[in-house]
Amino acid sequence: MKSAMLALCALAFLTGGAASDPIADRQAVMKKIGGLVGRELAPFGRGEKPYDAAAVMTALKALDETVKAYDVDALF
């Protein structure tokens, strides 16, 4: 649920101010992706957390939404 809320916030951020500062917007998107992978998915791969399919799917859906919202033409 937390990841879904973060994804919605990131989506709102990206659609609201993508034209203002492309460098800052790119950095925000990459930090979002890095956070999802580093905090949500990597601990499962390293064996630090027991596998939880629901948590992995939530993180992957949030990652998918973030990537789909990534407007390459506007940010590069």
Side-chain angles (χ1 to χ4, degrees):
M1 186 67 167
K2 180 180 175 183
S3 296
M5 289 301 287
L6 289 173
L8 289 174
C9 290
L11 182 62
F13 172 76
L14 289 175
T15 57
S20 61
D21 186 9
I23 294 171
D25 293 340
R26 282 194 305 263
Q27 290 173 342
V29 170
M30 296 310 286
K31 284 181 183 180
K32 169 69 176 159
I33 291 171
L36 283 168
V37 172
R39 280 191 318 266
E40 303 291 329
L41 296 173
F44 296 117
R46 285 185 246 145
E48 296 171 357
K49 283 185 176 178
Y51 180 72
D52 180 5
V56 170
M57 285 305 298
T58 301
L60 289 175
K61 286 179 184 177
L63 188 62
D64 183 52
E65 291 171 5
T66 302
V67 171
K68 286 179 180 175
Y70 201 114
D71 184 9
V72 175
D73 293 332
L75 297 179
F76 287 96

